[in-house]
Amino acid sequence: MAISREDVLHVAKLARLDLTEAEVTRMVKDLGSILEHVAELSQVDTSSVTPTAYVAVTAAPFRPDAVEPGVPRDVALAEAARHADGGFAVPAFVDDG
């Protein structure tokens, strides 16, 4: 399955990414390569492999639930596209337009 320039631009628009022409060209190449590998994997005969219903986890790794310093609010908000009242401002809905 090939990926077109239009496909990359459509996904970039949905993700609200402003890609340069060089980035679009690179994404077409890179994503096309990934899809070629996936297509190759789909050709592997797995008919003799028993499906896995679940993976047993005998012990879950836990870490201490400790408060750790984070990014200062002013630094985090400086990188935000929009902010209001000391927090991130996000649209109430997302559209394709």
Side-chain angles (χ1 to χ4, degrees):
M1 174 183 195
I3 189 163
S4 69
R5 180 179 188 285
E6 290 73 28
D7 293 331
V8 170
L9 291 173
H10 177 69
V11 172
K13 180 180 176 183
L14 292 174
R16 298 191 191 292
L17 297 175
D18 188 20
L19 301 177
T20 65
E21 192 57 40
E23 290 171 322
V24 171
T25 302
R26 192 179 80 229
M27 286 294 148
V28 169
K29 180 181 176 243
D30 291 349
L31 292 174
S33 177
I34 291 168
L35 291 175
E36 286 175 19
H37 288 292
V38 170
E40 188 176 328
L41 288 173
S42 69
Q43 301 301 316
V44 174
D45 178 20
T46 59
S47 60
S48 63
V49 178
T50 306
T52 303
Y54 66 93
V55 177
V57 177
T58 57
F62 289 105
R63 62 174 173 76
D65 189 13
V67 176
E68 295 181 8
V71 177
R73 182 185 307 241
D74 57 334
V75 173
L77 292 178
E79 299 297 324
R82 289 178 281 177
H83 55 86
D85 301 323
F88 297 101
V90 296
F93 63 91
V94 178
D95 61 18
D96 281 352

